[in-house]
């Protein structure tokens, strides 16, 4: 049994904890750590974890813990990765792995020095549509990409007072930046241009909160990518992708909740997906399964620190472009 | 210019009249005939027809008229076909071409004796989906059919006091019977079983009005077809088909009004088609274009009196089966 | 932990065993029983079951086993249900729960007498589309059904020498018969008519093997249902349903493998589902989760012996109708 | 009868000529003018036009001609509009109405001075999906747009030696720029950023030929639009649109050739549209019908010279942005 500790017991932490506890044969949820009083205890109890702690040091010191899943707030990610690596634990870290390139470089270096697996939470790579599109690229069906699109639309209902200004770039669109790279394998970003605004919460625009953005990403193989995000879609959670390539087009992201269609006086209707855990439940599980497999087999992680770094570079350039109004060369 | 007279100026007559008058190059609407006072005059005026008459004899006697389109009530069809043929006019007749096999045989014989084109209004054969499915059969992609389905659902709003008891078989499902034959080329019907009821207007069921029916049709090549009809669908006019064959399946009848999709709080919605002239406007035009071409080129009609007879045979067997509760062998 | 024994280690047994072992929190795979030498041992080893046995008596005698999942060949089902009930075990039995009404009545009676949960494997009721359609009936959106359709198409590749003649009715279409009942809640079947043939394997038709069938099922609320099956579809495993009701239509069974669409020189293509465990993996898991919940909470099973009996009655009537060519009243 | 002359007998000219000759009741194709020897004569003969000429002056001088449809090469458009207006003819002009703002201003001024109808060929406004999306904006269902997308992908096979460098902006994307405006009613463009390249014909990139482009268009109501184009899509002619607004999303452009789906060993396939006249045949007809109606009723044109000017401004800004790599403010 691979013993994995969970660090962070918020919304995503709870889902990852359930996966570690219940959905992965051969994996055991060894501990839940969270400094907020009571939360680790509660989640550990609910999931039957072996132990809980409010001080993450207890995880580092636990020789029975072989790996950690980091789902703490983003600003703590890099430090936690470094500490985990120094303690010799394999690391799965939610995205973004860091908020600055320096921090991320330190995290990558620490995991490399420790020789531990370091995987980052770009879960879409494990979703069936995304994996199938990549397969069409890998087997040559699509050929070289020309135009790419990746978008994320959240179902709304966020509290603007709790969202940092560049969140749309480094927490939301970072998924799309990774998707654009994933669907243009081997290509390098050369230029980033962002147009962004506060369209959902206009009154927060003055405080710098961006909730809607379009980012143009150019690659060295000529392909042009578009990443779009909006914090509110009236119809739910919408994540899609598109690759127009020499051999055709792949369209990703069906968005249907079930296969049922209701035809009534108003026409023909299908229900739409309402949240990320509903849409990507399987992908969240699959990424942890892949992480566990990498740890136990010694194979490299399928999503690396370098992948995280490349996506963060785009996110930082996009934020800069949104501020300056100019395209940013990389 | 091919001069065509229209006989019958009701709902379908008006549409065919428009087609003859406006949509077909090389065709001219020479006359409109209808015994109901004023209706032929009105339609002829609206469409710029050369003349109108309340006595159809005037059409037979008009040497300038080369062809007629019969869109009178069904019970007059066979007699009109015979009269037209005797007058030497090519005949397009709305379905059903007759209500009894004897009548239809007389009509077929009259057109044959006169050597005139005789085409029946099975318009679906001219709709793009249906034609494309047939092409997949003709080119061998599908192979031999095993299971077929054809259905018609009207948008409701009919007046039960004006509908004859067997209408669902000889006016509605006769389209589906033809479709089953069209999509199982060369096969002959061996048995018919019908289950029918008054589900839309239950109080009319006692008077024999059937508004919902399912008919199983067996063919001599083993294929089993299902024809379904209902006089009311809350979502509009729905006509679909399906062929499961050795090589795969063809599914016909998209049912969308436009290609627009609206995603809102209630999910993802497309508008549905609401009426036959909306769905089959192109097919109604195409069948008259084919008729005109047959008349002017001397080529045989694409839908023949024999096709009408075969469909009528199924309709009569279905009505008998619905009455007796037994399968009817042919 | 609910300790469940698995009886039968074939294709479905293996899947249910995996579910019991890995996918259900609070459930433990206590034993695997199969008389075939080595198979129970192998599966028990793969899944980490507590024990295995070739003699099912060992399961009845094991006081630690609270429930059994029966996935043996159909002809043994009823006897195993009776024995399990007498041993005081809760019973989940794959469909068909029996091959005759007498056997099934004995099984129902035994479980009733023992006061144990008895659930039958109509897994589609637990699939999202089917559950959602039923919800539209339960909340009144659809209103009273008028026309229903349920179909099953297997991906082919079966060995005709190993298929009993009426398999299409009592093993395949029995799912569709249950679906028709599930989607017409509270209605009772009044008449069954079947048309069937050997279209996939014509040479086996002489030996009575039917591989293609269409069954018309009439209900006492007037609704007419159609159940269709074919043992081969070139495009994979296809299970769909449709309810036309007063308020509109529900269409079930999307059939897509993923949400990815590839548009290339040949048009726009989506991959189709290829097997039952791929399509219904979640439903197979959900039905065992519901069974475990019924056992541990004391709530009644969601699919009962009476449901199994009603579906079997239709299957037997369909087989009779196929033989006699006559509609069978119930 | 409204007598309309056609100027230009190329691919689009021929289609418009057919429409004028055959598809519009109340309209007559009075003349075909084209300086290329023989082409006007040929087309006029095929369509039964009253006359033909190689010198367009003959059209201006013909008092029987009330309106003209200009389908000459783009560089002649503005001059022809001015001449037609001075001759007192109502003008329908294919897009782009001019290649420079000065030229277009002269054309607008000439039509205004002459008091003649001036309509520009933004046909998509007349396509059902586009009109339906606009209706959802006009009736308030969608609310204020936030993100818009419009794309054009041609089926390829173009001859790069015959394409001017900025064609992608002023001939192709000009449709998409108009669509973005059409779907964001009343808003004004504030900034344009273009990323473009030669991905289909890389060797022509050095000569300045751009065949793939992504243009970000910002509006004064905050909405961000994306216009994309590529001269080659392996799957045919693809025109789509999308509006994410406060109330939901409209998705336009179904792309299916028919409603038929074929499911076979390779999955489920629908045919895709292969050309603009196939996809927009109805819209091309509807725009001329609207033009004829404007001329005969005296109502203003539905697409004006000002619309053409606004789209051209974006196209010119996009071309400048593609050259300079900088966003262009308007």
């Amino acid at each position: 049994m691979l013993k994995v500790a969970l660090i962070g017991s918020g919304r995503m932490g709870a889902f990852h904890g359930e996966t570690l506890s219940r959905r992965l044969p051969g994996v055991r949820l060894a501990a839940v750590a969270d400094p907020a009083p009571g939360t680790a205890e509660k989640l550990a109890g609910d999931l039957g974890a072996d132990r809980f702690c409010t001080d993450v040091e207890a995880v580092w010191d636990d020789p029975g813990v072989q790996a950690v899943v980091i789902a703490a707030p983003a600003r703590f990610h890099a430090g936690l990765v470094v500490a985990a690596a120094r303690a010799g634990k394999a690391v799965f870290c939610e995205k973004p792995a860091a908020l600055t390139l320096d921090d991320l470089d330190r995290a990558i270096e620490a995991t490399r020095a420790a020789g531990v697996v370091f995987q980052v939470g770009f879960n879409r790579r494990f979703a069936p549509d995304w994996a199938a599109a990549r397969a069409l690229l890998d087997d040559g069906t699509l050929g070289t990409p020309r135009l790419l699109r990746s978008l994320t639309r959240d179902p709304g209902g966020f509290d603007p007072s709790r969202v940092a200004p560049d969140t749309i770039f480094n927490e939301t669109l970072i998924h799309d930046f990774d998707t654009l790279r994933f669907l243009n394998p081997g290509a390098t970003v050369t230029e980033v241009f962002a147009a962004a605004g506060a369209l959902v919460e206009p009154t927060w625009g003055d405080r710098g909160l961006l909730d809607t953005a379009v980012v143009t990403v150019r690659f060295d193989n000529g392909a042009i990518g578009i990443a779009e995000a909006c914090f509110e879609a009236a119809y739910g959670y919408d994540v899609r992708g598109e690759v127009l390539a020499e051999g055709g087009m792949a369209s990703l992201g069906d968005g249907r909740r079930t296969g049922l269609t209701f035809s009534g006086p108003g026409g023909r209707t299908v229900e739409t997906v309402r949240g990320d855990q509903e849409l990507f439940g399987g992908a969240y599980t699959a990424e942890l399964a892949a992480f566990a497999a990498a740890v136990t087999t010694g194979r490299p992680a399928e999503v690396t620190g370098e992948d995280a770094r490349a996506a963060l570079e785009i996110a930082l350039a996009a934020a800069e472009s949104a501020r300056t109004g100019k395209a940013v060369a990389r």
Side-chain angles (χ1 to χ4, degrees), chain A residues 78-317:
Chain A
L80 287 165
V81 174
V82 170
R86 286 181 183 161
K89 317 298 189 195
V91 185
F92 176 95
C93 183
E94 260 302 328
K95 55 84 220 173
L99 294 176
T100 70
L101 291 176
D102 279 353
D103 281 353
L104 187 44
D105 286 339
R106 268 191 291 275
I108 292 170
E109 180 49 34
T111 56
R112 198 174 286 155
V116 295
V117 168
F118 179 27
Q119 184 177 327
V120 179
F122 290 138
N123 58 298
R124 295 182 193 173
R125 293 187 178 214
F126 298 87
D129 297 18
W130 278 253
R134 173 63 181 255
L136 291 176
L137 288 158
D138 290 343
D139 71 11
T141 304
L142 280 170
T144 305
R146 291 172 180 168
L147 290 175
L148 301 107
R149 186 192 194 205
S150 176
L151 67 84
T152 305
R153 293 176 187 167
D154 286 309
F158 65 103
D159 176 354
S161 70
R162 303 192 55 178
V163 180
D166 285 347
T167 294
I168 199 166
F169 300 115
N170 58 31
E171 299 223 27
T172 303
L173 281 164
I174 202 158
H175 276 302
D176 301 286
F177 300 142
D178 182 64
T179 294
L180 294 179
R181 290 187 65 247
F182 180 63
L183 297 178
N184 193 8
T188 299
V189 171
T190 57
E191 191 185 85
V192 176
F193 176 81
L199 301 180
V200 180
E201 294 285 349
T203 60
W204 283 81
D206 296 338
R207 306 186 209 187
L209 179 59
L210 301 169
D211 53 41
T212 305
V214 171
V215 183
T216 304
V217 177
R218 304 191 70 165
F219 289 90
D220 62 355
N221 65 346
I224 306 170
I226 306 161
E228 299 171 47
C230 185
F231 283 178
E232 183 183 270
Y235 55 94
Y237 183 63
D238 185 9
V239 175
R240 281 176 283 152
E242 185 177 298
V243 185
L244 174 69
E246 196 179 357
M249 173 172 65
S251 309
L252 302 70
D254 179 69
R256 297 184 64 162
R257 175 169 264 175
T258 71
L260 179 132
T261 300
F262 172 66
S263 300
R268 198 193 293 171
T269 300
V270 297
E271 284 193 280
T272 41
V273 167
R274 296 292 159 166
D276 54 355
Q277 292 175 356
E278 179 184 7
L279 179 58
F280 285 123
Y284 286 132
T285 301
E287 67 177 354
L288 290 194
F291 172 62
V295 175
T296 53
T297 64
R299 288 196 308 255
E302 292 186 37
V303 194
T304 65
E306 286 70 26
D307 289 319
R309 194 183 196 283
L312 182 60
E313 276 195 277
I314 308 175
L316 295 170

Side-chain angles (χ1 to χ4, degrees), chain A residues 310-327:
Chain A
L312 182 60
E313 276 195 277
I314 308 175
L316 295 170
E320 181 187 335
S321 175
R323 271 193 301 276
T324 63
K326 294 181 181 166

